[in-house]
Amino acid sequence: DGGITQSPKYLFRKEGQNVTLSCEQNLNHDAMYWYRQDPGQGLRLIYYSQIVNDFQKGDIAEGYSVSREKKESFPLTVTSAQKNPTAFYLCASSPQLSYSNQPQHFGDGTRLSIL
Amino acid sequence: SQQGEEDPQALSIQEGENATMNCSYKTSINNLQWYRQNSGRGLVHLILIRSNEREKHSGRLRVTLDTSKKSSSLLITASRAADTASYFCATDAGGYDKVIFGPGTSLSVIP
């Protein structure tokens, strides 16, 4: 079955450490996205990518970085500059970037906590 | 301020009853989507309704859109315990290729 795989499911970050969240899709989608979800809140867009080797900042990109070297993969690095990283991180994809008129497909998330 | 906001924040009903959730938004839209999120999982797309549509059905789900009131509703008929989840509306901001999610409605269906 096609889908999006996020790993790990749980991740702990030490002070001053960078951590990388993995997102892989086999849906052959061009567009991929990273969202952050805090308790009781909606999703906030961190970064998005419409094609390999291209990505754009979303609403809350500070303290995060991404790469898109392969169509299938869109890893997110939470850097030490992100002072409040504890959240649920969701990766999504859609066939093209014009995703206001396309459903997004989501992975099952990574829950990041500070040690 | 949020483009889309769901109401109520939380809803608890008995199995078999209908559940209605509302979404209000501020600026004009091209499309509105509804998603479901089970606890600790990713979001699952339910329905997309375009601005020129007034109603759409999918199984036990019925979505309405009133662009004059800038609001949408999601009705789940004959609810089941498995419908327990959070439900989010997502809108575009009219002219922007961007989806904005509301804070969600938490639905509990009691067996």
Side-chain angles (χ1 to χ4, degrees):
Chain A
D1 278 343
I4 298 182
T5 302
Q6 290 188 243
S7 62
K9 191 169 180 62
Y10 300 96
L11 187 58
F12 297 92
R13 196 191 86 169
K14 294 180 182 178
E15 194 87 24
Q17 185 182 43
N18 292 354
V19 292
T20 297
L21 286 60
S22 171
C23 177
E24 303 277 333
Q25 56 102 356
N26 61 4
L27 298 165
N28 199 34
H29 286 172
D30 284 329
M32 297 186 74
Y33 320 88
W34 274 106
Y35 291 94
R36 170 179 172 141
Q37 186 178 31
D38 292 284
Q41 296 188 30
L43 279 60
R44 292 185 290 169
L45 183 64
I46 305 172
Y47 268 99
Y48 61 99
S49 167
Q50 61 178 322
I51 198 169
V52 173
N53 292 324
D54 179 73
F55 47 83
Q56 305 295 329
K57 292 182 179 180
D59 298 319
I60 56 165
E62 187 174 349
Y64 300 97
S65 66
V66 294
S67 63
R68 186 89 185 273
E69 297 176 3
K70 297 186 300 181
K71 186 175 185 177
E72 302 80 21
S73 179
F74 192 39
L76 173 73
T77 296
V78 184
T79 74
S80 58
Q82 173 48 248
K83 298 306 179 188
N84 183 23
T86 298
F88 190 50
Y89 290 87
L90 287 161
C91 180
S93 72
S94 63
Q96 290 90 37
L97 184 62
S98 299
Y99 56 86
S100 62
N101 62 354
Q102 297 175 13
Q104 293 187 34
H105 299 255
F106 284 82
D108 272 341
T110 292
R111 191 166 299 280
L112 176 62
S113 303
I114 298 180
L115 279 178
Chain B
S1 61
Q2 304 252 16
Q3 165 66 345
E5 292 199 24
E6 295 88 347
D7 170 60
Q9 288 187 324
L11 181 61
S12 183
I13 60 173
Q14 296 287 330
E15 201 166 30
E17 293 180 339
N18 295 342
T20 300
M21 287 156 272
N22 302 298
C23 171
S24 59
Y25 55 91
K26 293 181 169 54
T27 62
S28 62
I29 61 170
N30 297 309
N31 307 284
L32 185 144
Q33 302 180 50
W34 283 93
Y35 288 82
R36 183 188 77 236
Q37 182 181 33
N38 291 88
S39 181
R41 303 294 297 273
L43 277 69
V44 174
H45 182 262
L46 297 175
I47 288 184
L48 181 149
I49 187 165
R50 303 186 193 284
S51 59
N52 61 354
E53 297 175 313
R54 292 296 167 257
E55 189 171 309
K56 284 189 84 168
H57 296 255
S58 176
R60 293 182 297 112
L61 305 181
R62 173 180 165 239
V63 168
T64 61
L65 179 63
D66 187 335
T67 54
S68 66
K69 295 181 180 178
K70 292 187 172 58
S71 69
S72 173
S73 67
L74 170 66
L75 168 67
I76 304 174
T77 60
S79 63
R80 305 166 182 168
D83 294 326
T84 294
S86 291
Y87 292 81
F88 296 88
C89 69
T91 60
D92 62 9
Y96 292 91
D97 243 352
K98 190 175 175 181
V99 170
I100 301 172
F101 289 84
T105 291
S106 177
L107 173 65
S108 296
V109 180
I110 303 165

